[in-house]
Amino acid sequence: MYSDDEIDPHREHAQHSTGNESLYDSIDPFAEARPEAETWNDPEHTAANDNESDDDSDNRPLSQTSLSPTQATSSATIQQQLPLLRFTVGQMVDRSKRTPGFTLDVLTTLPSYKGRKYTGVERNQIEFERLESHLRATYPECLVPTLGPGSTVSKYVPDYQNDRLVVLLLQQWLNRISVHPILRQDYELRQFVEAPFAFNPALTPSLSSGGSALSLAPQQGTGFFSWGKPKQRITRSANPSPFEQQLQATSENMELFQKNLSETRRWHGRLARTRGRLAVDLKDVGTKLVSLGVIERSAMLGKSFKRLGKCFLHVGACAHSQSNLEGSRPIAVEDIYMMACENVQKTLSNRQVIFTEHQVSERQLERKRQSVAVLRASANISPDQVQETLAEFNVAKADADSKRQRAERVDKVLAADLQAFEANRENDFKAMFTALGRDQLHVERQVLNELKAVLEFVRQSGTSSNSSSTTISSTQQPPATASALH
């Protein structure tokens, strides 16, 4: 019989490598020049890495377990391209509460942070969801990674295995946030790390509104020559560019993928439930056979019943482990990507909204400019009206500049984000299928070895029974008579 630790559905044996960092090389999220990356070596962290390289990969904590190529962050290449920002999820704490909490260790060389090393930062799932909502609302042109579930993701596996999977998915999300050249520079992300108490963004978007901060209604003019409320209509190009055609094809593909993935997730859950019921039935049969062997008077037959009952118990435990494998990581990954497909479609629609907002802001700025020209040509306007109109012009100009900068970078950022998303999707499903196939093969080998042992027991029992019957028959032969001897 094997323990639950022998079959862990959340093991990873992939090697550390970087994949998505190079996709963002050409993106400069801010106009000001970035300071060069500082070379910072933590002696404790270096010693820990040296010790971990000598240990078996299965014995490492999940926060340092090898992830897919898009999830690993520590390399000299990243330090040359971007300042260091690394999150390490320790463990789930205070699981008795409805909202789980986690401990974080943070290493960074970003100049905006007050420190370089933060240890024991405690954040709960609600705070992570607030951070994700803030990032989606503040950066609608970016494809923000989808946050995994914060509680147990499956009722088919033990709580400690669910906790390990939750920690693994949270580590994956933080790794992908930390390599994004725009999201990693966010002010609220720094507050998320440095806040001494609960984290609450300054401008928390409403979750019911889908987390979108885009609004087609610009600031309304209330001063002189106000042009009224513009039409809130999204404009679309009559002759789409090749990139826009590619985005349209991506949106249709995500919609189709989400529809089929939801069916796959439903059947995965049904398979796990069926396998769980099979495990219970196998264990019940094994228990009955062992009980039958206990009350059996024939020693040989009783031993056979007991051995066969133990075989059924072992196979039932293997079936239970298979239900754990099928009902944990596959369902979690499929749930995440069902939400991710919806987020991709929202982000693609946000692109068109961004261009529409840019056009509206340019029209508003031109109207304010005309208002200023009329005021300068007039001699009967009071100074208060002049100041009010100039203030409105400055606000419209700042808004137009901000919308123009966002529209100029949206295609470049979105192209890199979509490439990273496709790479993440391929690597995540590949890692899921690899781990599932490896662990299922391990379970099937245990079942096969158990059946081989039962067959060997049957052969040995048959040989011993034949030899014993031969001995009994020879001892029960009648003695030779005197007449026969003569």
Side-chain angles (χ1 to χ4, degrees):
M1 190 65 63
Y2 58 92
S3 63
D4 291 335
D5 293 332
E6 296 178 6
I7 301 177
D8 185 4
H10 317 311
R11 294 197 310 263
E12 288 288 345
H13 298 285
Q15 298 295 327
H16 284 281
S17 61
T18 58
N20 285 355
E21 295 80 7
S22 60
L23 299 176
Y24 300 108
D25 290 346
S26 60
I27 299 178
D28 188 7
F30 301 102
E32 62 269 19
R34 271 201 204 105
E36 296 183 357
E38 302 177 13
T39 304
W40 186 81
N41 295 323
D42 182 15
E44 299 178 359
H45 184 70
T46 305
N49 287 340
D50 294 338
N51 295 333
E52 290 170 2
S53 61
D54 298 332
D55 297 336
D56 186 26
S57 60
D58 289 344
N59 296 327
R60 290 180 295 174
L62 277 176
S63 59
Q64 301 171 358
T65 306
S66 299
L67 301 173
S68 61
T70 58
Q71 302 166 10
T73 56
S74 57
S75 69
T77 305
I78 303 178
Q79 290 187 356
Q80 293 175 2
Q81 296 175 355
L82 294 172
L84 175 67
L85 179 61
R86 177 187 299 147
F87 294 88
T88 302
V89 183
Q91 60 182 357
M92 185 179 294
V93 295
D94 199 1
R95 199 179 182 281
S96 60
K97 294 184 178 180
R98 179 176 299 180
T99 302
F102 307 90
T103 59
L104 304 175
D105 293 336
V106 185
L107 299 176
T108 181
T109 57
L110 290 172
S112 59
Y113 284 73
K114 297 179 181 179
R116 292 293 176 260
K117 182 178 181 181
Y118 303 84
T119 59
V121 179
E122 292 190 8
R123 294 290 179 261
N124 57 34
Q125 181 66 18
I126 294 180
E127 293 172 307
F128 279 101
E129 292 175 357
R130 290 173 182 169
L131 177 61
E132 182 191 25
S133 300
H134 162 75
L135 294 176
R136 292 192 188 282
T138 308
Y139 307 101
E141 73 275 15
C142 297
L143 188 57
V144 180
T146 303
L147 180 65
S151 59
T152 53
V153 297
S154 175
K155 60 183 179 181
Y156 313 111
V157 298
D159 290 339
Y160 76 93
Q161 289 188 4
N162 272 327
D163 293 348
R164 294 186 64 189
L165 179 57
V166 169
V167 170
L168 176 64
L169 295 176
L170 181 60
Q171 180 71 61
Q172 170 184 286
W173 184 76
L174 289 172
N175 288 345
R176 292 174 180 175
I177 293 293
S178 64
V179 299
H180 197 285
I182 297 178
L183 302 181
R184 72 202 306 268
Q185 301 280 352
D186 183 66
Y187 171 78
E188 293 296 341
L189 179 60
R190 178 170 70 88
Q191 291 297 108
F192 179 82
V193 174
E194 296 181 345
F197 302 106
F199 167 74
N200 193 10
L203 297 175
T204 304
S206 176
L207 296 178
S208 60
S209 62
S212 177
L214 293 176
S215 176
L216 290 179
Q219 297 179 358
Q220 304 299 322
T222 57
F224 188 71
F225 278 95
S226 175
W227 291 82
K229 183 176 180 181
K231 295 181 180 180
Q232 300 182 13
R233 183 178 57 186
I234 299 178
T235 59
R236 299 184 182 276
S237 176
N239 298 320
S241 63
F243 182 68
E244 291 176 341
Q245 295 177 1
Q246 179 183 357
L247 294 182
Q248 181 64 27
T250 301
S251 178
E252 295 174 357
N253 181 39
M254 289 296 103
E255 183 178 0
L256 183 62
F257 179 76
Q258 182 184 16
K259 180 179 179 181
N260 289 275
L261 188 62
S262 62
E263 291 295 321
T264 305
R265 188 249 182 259
R266 184 170 67 88
W267 285 100
H268 251 137
R270 183 173 180 178
L271 176 61
R273 292 191 297 270
T274 303
R275 188 90 68 176
R277 290 192 293 266
L278 175 62
V280 173
D281 293 340
L282 289 172
K283 291 179 181 180
D284 290 342
V285 173
T287 302
K288 298 301 181 182
L289 287 173
V290 171
S291 301
L292 190 60
V294 171
I295 63 175
E296 177 60 39
R297 293 185 177 181
S298 173
M300 185 59 63
L301 188 57
K303 189 181 297 183
S304 300
F305 280 136
K306 291 179 181 179
R307 185 63 185 87
L308 187 59
K310 291 180 179 179
C311 175
F312 271 90
L313 290 174
H314 186 88
V315 175
C318 290
H320 181 71
S321 298
Q322 286 179 311
S323 67
N324 294 350
L325 297 173
E326 294 162 349
S328 56
R329 182 168 183 172
I331 291 182
V333 173
E334 288 161 359
D335 284 341
I336 289 176
Y337 273 94
M338 285 173 59
M339 295 184 292
C341 290
E342 184 177 355
N343 293 331
V344 169
Q345 296 181 57
K346 289 181 179 179
T347 305
L348 295 180
S349 63
N350 288 343
R351 173 188 177 273
Q352 195 62 41
V353 175
I354 288 173
F355 282 107
T356 303
E357 283 194 341
H358 170 55
Q359 296 172 2
V360 172
S361 64
E362 290 294 336
R363 289 196 295 266
Q364 287 291 100
L365 178 62
E366 182 61 26
R367 291 165 183 169
K368 297 300 180 182
R369 186 178 288 110
Q370 294 175 5
S371 301
V372 173
V374 171
L375 285 175
R376 289 177 178 176
S378 177
N380 300 324
I381 302 300
S382 64
D384 293 339
Q385 290 179 333
V386 173
Q387 294 296 329
E388 182 181 358
T389 304
L390 289 178
E392 292 176 358
F393 173 79
N394 293 330
V395 171
K397 187 176 183 300
D399 182 68
D401 292 340
S402 175
K403 300 295 177 57
R404 184 179 63 256
Q405 292 177 2
R406 175 180 286 179
E408 288 175 352
R409 73 180 184 182
V410 60
D411 282 350
K412 184 182 296 185
V413 173
L414 190 56
D417 284 350
L418 286 176
Q419 292 182 20
F421 174 79
E422 291 296 336
N424 290 334
R425 185 165 66 121
E426 179 180 353
N427 290 324
D428 288 347
F429 279 98
K430 182 179 179 180
M432 181 195 73
F433 293 141
T434 301
L436 181 62
R438 180 184 63 245
D439 293 330
Q440 291 279 22
L441 182 61
H442 180 68
V443 174
E444 295 293 345
R445 284 175 178 171
Q446 290 189 345
V447 174
L448 180 61
N449 292 334
E450 181 66 19
L451 295 177
K452 288 181 179 179
V454 171
L455 290 177
E456 185 64 25
F457 174 81
V458 171
R459 293 192 187 98
Q460 293 179 0
S461 300
T463 304
S464 60
S465 62
N466 291 335
S467 60
S468 61
S469 61
T470 304
T471 304
I472 293 174
S473 61
S474 61
T475 55
Q476 291 180 353
Q477 287 182 358
T481 57
S483 61
L485 292 176
H486 289 293

